[in-house]
Structure formats: C-alpha cells, structure tokens
Amino acid sequence: MRYLLGLLTFSIFVLGNVKAQTPKNSSATDIYHSIEKLNFLGTALYIAAHPDDENTRLISYLSNDVKARTGYLSLTRGDGGQNLIGPELRELLGVLRTQELLAARRVDGGEQFFSRANDFGYSKQPSETLKIWNKEAILGDVVRTIRKFKPDVIINRFDHRTPGTTHGHHTSSAMLSFEAFDLANDSNAYPEQLASTNTWQPKRLFFNTSWWFYGSEEKFKEADKSNMLHMDVGTYYPMLGMSNNEIASLASSQHLCQGFGRLSSRGTEDEYVELLKGDLPKDKSNLFDGIDTSWSRIDGGKAIGEILYDVQDNFNFKDPTSHLPKLLEAYQLLQNISDEHWKNLKTEELTTIISAITGLHLEAFTKTGYTNPSQNVDVQIQALNRSDITIELKSIFLNDQNSNVDNTVLNNNELFKKKIELNIPASTDFTSPYWLMEKGTLGTYTVKNTDLIGKPETPRAFNATFNLNINGVLIPIIRPIVYKYAKPDKGEIYQPFEVVPEATSSFTDKVLIFADASQKRIPVTIKAHKDSISGTVELKYGTGWQVDKKTQPFSIIKKGDEQTVYFTLSPPATENESSIAPIIKLNGKEITKELVAIAYDHVPTQTVLLPSETKVVRLNIEKAGENIGYIMGAGDEVPTSLEQIGYNVQLIDPATITKESLKKYDAVVLGIRAYNVVDELKFKQRFILDYAKNGGTVIVQYNTASRWGSQFENIAPYDIEISRDRVTNENSDVEIIAKDNSLVNFPNEINQSDFDGWVQERGLYFPNKWSAEFTPVLEMHDEGEESTKGSLLIAPYGKGNYIYTGLSFFRELPVGVPGAYKLFSNMLSVGKDKVETKAKIKG
C-alpha cells in the first residue's frame, strides 16, 4: 500500500503523505496535473450523511479527470458507529472517522466538510432524524457550506423521495440538500451568514443513482434514463500508472475503523446521476456542460487564462522552472482580481505550483509535541531553494511575531536554518476538536464560533509565514508549525504541534459499578504537561456518596510523567447513579480536563480534551459463577464492565481453544461481530458448541447478517437466521414475554424499569427466524412497526445453554446502565439456579 500511495503523488495542494504534515515533494507530473486543475474553474459538491457514504470513484473522477474542485459534505462524523480497530466510540470515534475521511480526501483529491449533526445512531425515518438533529440548524449548515464552497453542481448520494427505505440519516441528507439548493441564493434565508459570505445559486442538483436503488440490475436496465447523465469513471491515467478505480479503492480503504480496507478494482465503471434541479446538459456525459469553467468566468480572468493555458499546452517536463516568469506574471495579475473567492483559491493553488517548480522546502517545527499558554518554545526554521531562480527570504513571521530575518538570499541547494523562540500567548486556546469544546445535544454539536462550522478540524493555532521575493515578485507562503521527530522503527514522523493545560487528570474506568455497599479505592492519575508542577486534587461527587479526604497533594518533576493519588469512595445504601470528577488546583487555576490521544499509523495523532469524569453507579445486583471466558470480536469494553461487578474475566485467544480449554469457565461470551471478523472461529466453532453441550453457557452477541461466509453452516446449534431488524429508539417499550424464564428471574428479577436509561438503541441485527428449541424472552418495536421477538433468544443444548442476543450491551454496559448489568448477569448465571437448588437440598 505504501508503494501504491507513493505512485499517487499528484494534486499537490490537497494530497500528502499519510503521516500528518509531511512536506510534499512534487515531480514534474505532479506540477503539470496541478496546472490542469488550476485552469479548470468549476466546482462540485457531493453530499451524504456519514463517513464511508461518499462515492470515492466519483469524487476522484471529478477531481482528477474532470479537474474540478470537488468537496464532500458529510453531515455527521460517524460518531454512532462501531470501531473495528480500537476502543474509541461516540465522540472519540467521530474524531477518528474525521481523520480517516481527511486521509481519503488526501488520496482522491477532494476536500472535506461537515455539519454540526451528531450521528446519534440508526434512525428509520427522516422525520425522527430531522427532529433530533434540529432541522433548521443543520439545514443552515448545508446552506452555509454551499455559500462558502460555491459549487456549480451538487450531487446527492441518496434519494430524497424515498423516506423509510433506508437509514433516516441518509434520506435526511438528500432532503436537506434538495431544500438548500434554492435557499443558498435567498438572502432572507439565514441572513446572519451573509456577514461572512454571499448568496450562491448552484446550476444543477443530481442524485447519484444506480441499479441498487431500483432493486436489481435488470430493473435498472429497463428504467427511463432520459433525465440521467452517464459517465465511465474507470478511466486510466497514463502519467500516474493508475486508474481512477484504483485511486478510489485506496481512498475508501482509509476507513479502517469501519473495516473498509478492500481490494483495488480496475476497468470500466459506470456511474449515473439523475437531474433533480437545473437544466439538463446536452452532453450527457459532462456534468459541467454549458457552464463556463474557463478563466473567462471571472472579470479580468481572460488575460490570466491566456498565460496559464499556454503554460499547460507547452509544459516543459524536463525543466518546469522555464515557466516561472509566466507563472509569476499570472500571479501578479491575479492579485488585481476583484472576485475574492476565485482570487483566494487560485492564489493558493498558484503559490503551491510556484513553490513546487523552484523545489522550495519550507518548514517550521518544534522538538516537542506540545506546550502550554504563557510559555516559550523553540521553533526550528528551514528554508531551501533547489533551483537556479533568485529567491530572497525577506522575513518570517510566526503568527504576528517577526523573527527578524533580514533579506537572506536562498542560494541553490544551500539550506538556511534558524532557531526562533515562539511566545505562546496566555489567551491561546487549548488544542481540541472544536465541536467538542461545548456540551451539545443528542443530535447537534454546539459550536459558538460560527466561522468554524463546516471545517473538518480545528485550524492550527500557530503558523509560519515565509515572505519571499521570487524574481522580484513578493509571495507569502504559509506553513503550519509542526512537531517533527524520528523513531528507529518508523523513521521521520510529523505530527501536529499542540497547546495543552499544564496538567490533566483521568480515571482508569469511565464507569464504576458498586455491586454492594462496599467502598472502593479510586485512583486519579495526574499527568504533567510542564516541568516542576505541584498542586492539589479535589474530588467532586454527588449527594449520598462520601470520600475519605477532601483533597490530595501531588508533585511532578518532569513533563510527561504521571502521579496517581487515591480517594476512598463510599456508595449510598440504595441504588443511585451519579458522577465523580477531579479538580486540579494549580497556580491559582482549576483544571477539569482529561487529555485523550488517538494514535494510529494511518491518521495524524489527535489530541482531545474532554471533561475528566466518571459515572458511578450503586447497584443491588446478584450474580452466580465467577470465571468468564471472553472471545473478542470487533472490539468492545464488555470484559472490563463485567470485572466491575466482580467477575473474573479472561480474554481467550481463539487459536488456543481446545475441547479441554473451555471447561474452566462458568460461561463463554463472544464479543460483537466475532463471527464477522475472527477467521479462526471457523476452526473452533465445534469446540464452543461442545462446551455448551457438556454443560456450559455460550453467549453470542450481535453479528451482521450474511458476513461470516460459507465456512459456518450456522453460528448456533440450531437453525437461526440473522436479519437487519433493529429497534433504534432506546426508549421504546419492551415487553417481557417469557416471564418464567430464568433470564428474567435469576439471580436478579428483571422488570420494566430495567429498560430505562438505555442509550442510542435497544439493539440491532436481531434474528427473525429460529427453530423451536429457542425461547424468545423479550418483545419490542419502534413506533409504527411490527414487534420483533428476536432480541434475546435462549435454547438448551445438551446439558448447557446457548444464548443469542442483539441487545446493544456493548453500548449500555460501558455507560453504566443498571438494567443492562442485571440482565447480563442473569445471562451469565443461567443454569446456576438449578445448581444452587441442588446444593441447598443436599445440604
């Protein structure tokens, strides 16, 4: 993959190494491709609901074949999904998926935008979605994106005319786009936006249709296509040695946390778009037909175009620097353009091309990954001219701080280096995703700074501006200040340079379950982000809870080191849900944040500051059995949650499973999607079922339908069919239909109140068919739908029991839902009531 990405080095102002902030080195082919894009003044915007909804084939085709400026507006950040590569869920998953989308855009050449919509989980109807999202707010975000991006054409991924046939978020994205198409040009709509942008009317709105929306390829062949455009997006790029489909495959493979790594595809690929609004192009293979995409579309642009078209037509691949005089002439003319939108965009593109042609290497980096407000940090400056062109470095500004570089001439291949001290103002905001800085609602993030709405990430706090004189033309070039270091096993690495508090605190567990009245010793870990700090930590807690000491002192000498202090927390006598939060008191300031780092090789490391707090739950819960074996699937926190209520949980490596190895467990639990993602299970399934047959309890949590391949005749000892049935309303009514079953009676009596306080959903991928051996325990449904009984099934098997559940315990246990703990404890305890009864009789 690294080799393929190495081939994909064009589009120099949007692509880059997968490592964050890595300087881009551009070949003559890259430069030529950038000039082609520079000379196309057309814009396309693709709109859908989630990360991975985008059509990377079409985005890449528009960006790299048509040469259009192409953007993807994902209304959400995918916060409500699952994570196949790590523990991040909810807000942290949204941060990870944001970066995966940006990685995909670095590959396919697009740009990325978001609304404030929160992916609150699966929704069956757009009416529910738009109510939870706050339709007016999110519609305003779509309007804002259109006004700022100014697309000529908009393409919807989904059909606004088919509510209820797909995810409610999907249909809602299309409905909002359809409405925003006209509102963007209405000055009476969201007039407050016009202080920073202008109205805009796109020319055409399309729906990216396919045979899938018609039910079959045969039906699509017979469909009326008179209102459709057709494009073959399987084009091959000879200068790159890659096809558009290969680029698209690499782009979509960046969605690793969703398991979207895939094989590359090649060859002809048909894409269809249906016109929804605007005029139908005469050329039904060209979305921009009839739209002026030349330099002549802007006042004063014709003269610029004459220069740049000539450069493109007569490009010198052996010596691109021969075009510098013409490019500088075009640059100067561009500064006189009155259209600020095109002036800013094309100035940025042209500056990047000029920099690439001269082989300019400009960077500003630190040797530390973070600092604090009111501190000073050394910034290493490097400037290198790798051409015979006369370039003079007039000055360098670190934000508004002049570095006093006096007109230094950059001679060919002579590296200029300078160390500059950067002052971090006391007012500098801490680095964190801007949409997480304020408490939002279930469906909408709160963003007070409206200038940030739509941006994929928080802009860098500090940049270096290199003011250059290139052949007599003054050109500023901006580079972000980054953290640069090397690791023996990875080489040179670039990461964002962050601003963090002097210290942060964290708990080991995000939920603490008190299964009885016993007190617990609670560790609070303080991490220093500055040398030589001393202060105190106070624990904030709710009514009914008690701690042994009001405050604990701490003292840490070295930045990056940690110290753990302990509080003894006593719960109330009765059931209670509350939270505890540490307050660091340091140098007259109070710090209540936890620093979370999200670090994977395929995206830049992310620094996230969240409120440091833990939910505490006092339960009256009983359990039977002690030792639980857990086979991890796609990744969840259920094992840690079970340990909270006193179980001894051992993670089982599937490769080690034998007939004898499972006998020591009171129950064996398979994590979410285990049969989807753990190939080894196809060899070990017989041992798992034998364990149940010989008296054990096997609990299988949800798997996605038809994704475990032919190696499994069935994942259960009896016939069972997994469907796409789900109950998405976490507050939907639940009826206990097997009232005498031990799952709702032993050792905890389950009643209606135990289904209060659930989050995001009841469950997903419920079975819809099963053999008579299974007993359905619960019945539930979303409003307006038929009831489903497949959320929790139990069947005796030999001397033991087999349980299949689509209930979303992987969401409920980590957030401390009391009823979910009681029900899961009952599942683990099944059959133990008979053992206890026999023991009592024998006694």
Side-chain angles (χ1 to χ4, degrees), residues 560-631:
D561 203 358
E562 296 179 341
Q563 181 180 338
T564 300
V565 299
Y566 294 88
F567 294 87
T568 300
L569 182 66
S570 300
T574 57
E575 291 195 345
N576 181 288
E577 293 183 58
S578 186
S579 64
I580 56 175
I583 303 173
I584 295 176
K585 295 187 176 182
L586 180 65
N587 298 328
K589 293 175 287 189
E590 292 188 351
I591 303 172
T592 59
K593 297 293 186 182
E594 173 187 7
L595 188 146
V596 180
I598 302 176
Y600 294 95
D601 286 344
H602 66 300
V603 296
T605 297
Q606 297 298 294
T607 296
V608 185
L609 286 171
L610 297 173
S612 183
E613 61 184 6
T614 278
K615 183 177 181 180
V616 288
V617 181
R618 167 69 168 96
L619 284 179
N620 289 320
I621 188 170
E622 300 291 336
K623 66 183 184 69
E626 296 293 335
N627 299 313
I628 307 300
Y630 201 94
I631 302 171

Side-chain angles (χ1 to χ4, degrees), residues 60-84:
S60 178
Y61 173 81
L62 291 170
S63 177
N64 300 308
D65 190 290
V66 178
K67 310 297 189 300
R69 184 188 183 209
T70 307
Y72 174 44
L73 171 58
S74 176
L75 294 193
T76 77
R77 298 175 185 267
D79 331 66
Q82 287 90 51
N83 184 355
L84 294 184

Side-chain angles (χ1 to χ4, degrees), residues 32 194 328 338 509 518 634:
Y32 178 75
L194 301 180
L328 291 173
S338 59
D509 301 303
S518 300

Side-chain angles (χ1 to χ4, degrees), residues 674-684 711-712:
Y675 288 106
N676 298 143
V677 300
V678 182
D679 290 339
E680 185 72 22
L681 287 178
K682 63 188 176 185
F683 305 113
K684 306 298 183 178
Q711 63 267 29
F712 292 107

Side-chain angles (χ1 to χ4, degrees), residues 11 74-75 122 149 185 220 250 319 366 391 535 649 667-668 673 685 699 745 755 761 789 837 843:
S11 216
S74 176
L75 294 193
Y122 194 90
F149 193 59
N185 199 39
F220 187 61
L250 288 171
D319 183 18
T366 68
I391 300 178
V649 182
V668 171
R673 298 179 65 180
Q685 175 74 348
I699 300 171
N745 289 286
F755 296 97
E761 62 198 358
K789 299 179 180 181
T837 300

Side-chain angles (χ1 to χ4, degrees), residues 648-687:
N648 174 30
V649 182
Q650 296 181 18
L651 297 183
I652 300 175
D653 179 356
T656 67
I657 294 176
T658 66
K659 185 175 182 179
E660 299 297 319
S661 68
L662 301 181
K663 289 183 176 180
K664 59 185 176 182
Y665 299 116
D666 294 303
V668 171
V669 184
L670 281 81
I672 60 173
R673 298 179 65 180
Y675 288 106
N676 298 143
V677 300
V678 182
D679 290 339
E680 185 72 22
L681 287 178
K682 63 188 176 185
F683 305 113
K684 306 298 183 178
Q685 175 74 348
R686 68 185 190 277
F687 297 132

Side-chain angles (χ1 to χ4, degrees), residues 435-463:
W435 62 95
L436 299 180
M437 292 181 179
E438 303 287 341
K439 186 176 179 60
T441 66
L442 172 64
T444 311
Y445 286 115
T446 298
V447 181
K448 290 187 176 180
N449 183 353
T450 57
D451 290 336
L452 295 175
I453 295 174
K455 293 183 182 297
E457 56 186 343
T458 307
R460 292 289 100 195
F462 295 98
N463 297 283

